[in-house]
């Protein structure tokens, strides 16, 4: 599973960047006012084939096709719709729909026994604007999300603290209907320069790895959790988007990538006031905010890129800087301070390849995130380590086995306010996670999962917890 693999395994708490090749797996969703005229163009194309639109769609869903396609039934429940999806692709339009659920049980420890069910329904609309309207090398991605359900961490593991630090279900958050990306991508310089702009998601591009969403815990998937604790929320993750521009350049030798982005930091239009009511619950308030910007940058080194036998790896150094107002976690009155910053180092490395040119083998990853402003960021340091083996069983080359560990150290500054409130001080929380993903065909995956949460909420007052459950996904 190469870290640069374009067929990215999805994790919906974080979305995926728009690529000029199609992602063959999980999809998150979208809508835009442009859909109407694009849909009419596709319908007219279908009618020219001699079938009315409803009849053509029914025929497509019922038909089976033997020809090669980018929508095989091994990856999609409804397949190629009798060739209709290939026709749409040629016309410049693609549509995907995904269902993801993560039922979990707290079977031991924590504060209460119990279980929760939650899901994310995601759809993804891709428009090739060069084919549709002649705009060179430009695509449009629009995503929608519908989330429902409750958090096991907040309901049973550590309800007295509003949940443990690292939630055990990564698709909890934004439990409503939400417009995510409305994102344009343009490629220049022989596709080496990629520009993303519009309503985009910072976490789609920064602090990313194809390996992280082997895991269900939100400490791993979609990115190291430490970067998301500022208040008000400023560094976006799926399904929350923000106005922004991101540029990425790959060097001709494929050994280096440099990328940088600038984003409107006022995602929920709170104006830098942590006590203000958020005004963008559904992602449809597209006003520019008034709380400064987020500047993000990363430098990537690719070891043995595109190698057949040598072991590939990707190493990243990055950071972000925020210039708005954020809650001073030392205070109890909602006071703010100006600015925040963090640094991170990420590494993905293939450790064993079963056969030359093959994707089966063992990968390892490591992440370290360091806060440079402990008056804003809850976690002073955050470390994660993990292993993912793809194709462990010869008869099941698409399955994957994962084991990972994470630990976050709470900044001492956070305990100033906790002492003032009479609350126990926090120190560190750790999570161990083990799972196995069965890729069953027809777009269906089943992933049993077990997590051990050591010192939930980092107070020392809550018993270590065991959570068991599964992730189930279906691509239509």
């Amino acid at each position: 599973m190469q870290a640069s693999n374009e067929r990215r395994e999805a994790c919906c708490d974080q979305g995926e960047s728009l690529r000029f090749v199609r992602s063959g797996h999980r999809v998150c969703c979208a809508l835009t006012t442009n859909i109407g005229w694009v849909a009419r163009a596709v319908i007219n194309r279908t009618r020219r084939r001699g079938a009315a639109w409803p009849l053509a769609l029914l025929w497509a869903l019922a038909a089976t096709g033997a020809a090669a396609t980018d929508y095989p039934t091994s990856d999609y429940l409804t397949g190629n719709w009798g060739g209709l999806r290939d026709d749409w692709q040629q016309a410049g339009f693609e549509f995907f729909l995904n269902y993801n659920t993560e039922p979990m049980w707290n079977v031991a420890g924590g504060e209460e026994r119990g279980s929760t069910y939650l899901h994310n329904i995601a759809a993804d609309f891709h428009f090739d604007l060069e084919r549709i309207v002649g705009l060179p090398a430009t695509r449009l991605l629009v995503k929608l999300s519908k989330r429902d359900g409750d958090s096991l961490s907040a309901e049973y593991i550590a309800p007295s603290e509003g949940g443990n630090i690292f939630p055990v279900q990564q698709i909890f958050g934004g439990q409503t209907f939400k417009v995510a990306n409305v994102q344009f991508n343009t490629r220049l310089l022989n596709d080496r320069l990629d520009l993303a702009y519009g309503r985009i998601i910072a976490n789609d591009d920064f602090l990313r790895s194809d390996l992280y969403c082997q895991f269900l815990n939100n400490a791993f998937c979609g990115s190291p959790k430490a970067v998301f604790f500022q208040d008000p929320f400023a560094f976006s993750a799926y399904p929350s988007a923000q106005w922004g521009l991101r540029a990425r350049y790959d060097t001709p030798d494929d050994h280096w990538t440099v990328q940088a982005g600038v984003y409107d930091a006022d995602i929920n239009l709170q104006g830098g006031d942590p006590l203000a009511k958020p005004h963008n619950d559904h992602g449809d308030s597209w006003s520019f905010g008034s709380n400064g910007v987020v500047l993000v940058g990363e430098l990537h080194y690719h070891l043995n890129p595109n190698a057949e036998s040598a072991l590939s790896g990707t190493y990243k150094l990055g950071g972000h800087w925020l210039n708005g107002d954020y809650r001073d976690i030392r205070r109890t009155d909602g006071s703010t301070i100006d600015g925040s910053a963090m640094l991170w180092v990420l590494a993905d490395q293939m450790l064993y390849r079963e056969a030359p040119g093959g994707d089966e083998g063992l990968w390892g990853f490591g992440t370290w995130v360091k806060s440079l402003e402990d008056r804003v960021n809850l976690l002073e340091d955050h470390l994660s380590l993990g292993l993912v083996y793809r194709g462990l069983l010869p008869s099941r080359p698409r399955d994957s086995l994962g084991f990972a560990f994470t630990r976050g150290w709470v900044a001492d500054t956070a305990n100033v306010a906790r002492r003032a409130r009479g609350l126990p001080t926090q120190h560190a929380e750790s999570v161990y996670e083990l799972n196995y993903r069965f890729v069953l065909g027809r777009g269906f995956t089943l992933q049993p999962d077990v997590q051990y949460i050591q010192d939930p909420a980092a107070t020392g007052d809550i018993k270590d917890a065991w959570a068991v459950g599964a992730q189930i996904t279906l691509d239509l």
Side-chain angles (χ1 to χ4, degrees):
M1 177 165 41
Q2 293 190 7
S4 61
N5 190 350
E6 297 283 7
R7 289 171 61 90
R8 305 173 66 182
E9 298 289 337
C11 102
C12 270
D13 68 348
Q14 11 24 232
E16 300 175 319
S17 299
L18 174 63
R19 304 291 184 182
F20 267 60
V21 295
R22 204 171 27 270
S23 171
H25 290 283
R26 294 271 309 281
V27 212
C28 303
C29 80
L31 186 58
T32 180
T33 56
N34 293 330
I35 292 175
W37 58 264
V38 174
R40 284 195 295 271
V42 175
I43 292 169
N44 288 338
R45 177 181 177 88
T46 305
R47 283 173 174 164
R48 287 196 297 270
R49 295 179 53 161
W53 164 249
L55 294 177
L57 181 57
L58 290 173
W59 169 80
L61 290 172
T64 57
T69 175
D70 288 322
Y71 311 96
T73 53
S74 58
D75 292 338
Y76 301 97
L77 177 66
T78 57
N80 188 26
W81 301 358
L84 184 59
R85 294 178 86 168
D86 281 339
D87 289 344
W88 283 2
Q89 181 190 71
Q90 291 302 310
F93 171 70
E94 293 181 274
F95 166 72
F96 304 90
L97 186 65
N98 171 268
Y99 178 82
N100 180 11
T101 182
E102 294 172 353
M104 296 288 288
W105 290 260
N106 185 36
V107 297
E111 292 185 306
E112 298 181 30
R113 304 288 79 70
S115 63
T116 64
Y117 168 88
L118 72 172
H119 67 235
N120 184 82
I121 301 172
D124 181 344
F125 300 81
H126 294 253
F127 305 93
D128 185 337
L129 299 184
E130 184 166 19
R131 293 188 178 188
I132 296 170
V133 296
L135 188 60
T138 300
R139 297 178 68 98
L140 170 64
L141 170 67
V142 190
K143 297 182 177 182
L144 297 179
S145 166
K146 180 63 172 73
R147 288 184 167 183
D148 297 285
D150 298 314
S151 165
L152 189 77
S153 291
E155 296 291 329
Y156 295 105
I157 294 177
S160 66
E161 291 287 341
N164 59 300
I165 292 174
F166 300 126
V168 298
Q169 296 147 304
Q170 58 87 13
I171 61 171
F172 183 81
Q175 306 306 98
T176 184
F177 171 81
K178 199 156 195 172
V179 179
N181 304 59
V182 182
Q183 171 180 329
F184 293 89
N185 279 66
T186 298
R187 287 210 169 191
L188 305 169
L189 304 179
N190 295 320
D191 286 350
R192 295 205 168 271
L193 176 63
D194 180 82
L195 303 176
Y197 45 99
R199 297 286 297 177
I200 63 178
I201 295 176
N203 182 221
D204 281 358
D205 298 299
F206 296 94
L207 285 131
R208 295 291 298 183
S209 168
D210 293 343
L211 302 172
Y212 297 163
C213 285
Q214 170 72 31
F215 303 95
L216 275 60
N217 192 286
N218 201 210
F220 309 109
C221 182
S223 289
K225 183 70 173 175
V227 298
F228 300 116
F229 285 108
Q230 71 282 147
D231 183 15
F233 181 44
F235 186 79
S236 57
Y238 179 88
S240 294
Q242 61 200 131
W243 288 110
L245 167 66
R246 188 269 299 144
R248 178 175 57 240
Y249 179 74
D250 299 311
T251 60
D253 63 5
D254 291 330
H255 280 289
W256 295 93
T257 298
V258 60
Q259 62 176 1
V262 57
Y263 303 87
D264 179 358
D266 199 2
I267 295 174
N268 291 321
L269 304 177
Q270 293 173 263
D273 182 358
L275 301 180
K277 185 181 186 309
H279 294 288
N280 202 11
D281 289 343
H282 301 292
D284 55 354
S285 296
W286 290 4
S287 301
F288 284 93
S290 56
N291 195 37
V293 298
V294 181
L295 299 178
V296 195
E298 277 186 348
L299 177 66
H300 306 175
Y301 175 69
H302 306 284
L303 177 67
N304 300 319
N306 308 311
E308 290 290 312
S309 298
L311 300 179
S312 302
T314 299
Y315 299 82
K316 303 179 182 181
L317 174 65
H320 73 206
W321 174 75
L322 296 71
N323 71 343
D325 294 326
Y326 298 94
R327 181 190 294 273
D328 184 344
I329 61 176
R330 301 170 302 175
R331 305 289 296 272
T332 61
D333 59 359
S335 298
T336 62
I337 64 169
D338 182 20
S340 181
M342 305 193 87
L343 294 175
W344 54 81
V345 178
L346 315 176
D348 295 351
Q349 178 61 53
M350 195 172 200
L351 304 174
Y352 170 70
R353 190 191 300 273
E354 291 193 354
D359 202 23
E360 293 79 23
L362 178 65
W363 279 85
F365 71 84
T367 71
W368 175 68
V369 180
K370 175 68 177 178
S371 169
L372 301 182
E373 180 46 270
D374 291 344
R375 293 173 296 173
V376 170
N377 301 307
L378 176 66
L379 296 184
E380 181 178 23
D381 292 280
H382 182 194
L383 172 70
S384 296
L385 300 169
L387 296 170
V388 177
Y389 199 114
R390 187 173 186 183
L392 180 64
L393 303 177
S395 61
R396 304 197 58 83
R398 299 177 65 188
D399 289 359
S400 53
L401 171 71
F403 174 76
F405 161 80
T406 193
R407 184 171 178 85
W409 289 266
V410 175
D412 289 338
T413 49
N415 288 319
V416 175
R418 291 184 65 87
R419 291 189 187 99
R421 292 189 177 104
L423 299 173
T425 57
Q426 294 179 301
H427 302 285
E429 176 178 302
S430 300
V431 176
Y432 302 80
E433 182 173 358
L434 176 68
N435 60 41
Y436 188 92
R437 177 184 294 155
F438 295 91
V439 181
L440 302 174
R442 286 282 181 177
F444 179 64
T445 70
L446 172 63
Q447 185 171 347
D449 184 89
V450 59
Q451 299 179 40
Y452 175 69
I453 302 93
Q454 186 177 31
D455 196 0
T459 64
D461 292 341
I462 301 175
K463 294 180 180 179
D464 294 355
W466 286 92
V468 298
Q471 182 182 73
I472 303 168
T473 70
L474 182 63
D475 286 306
L476 285 87

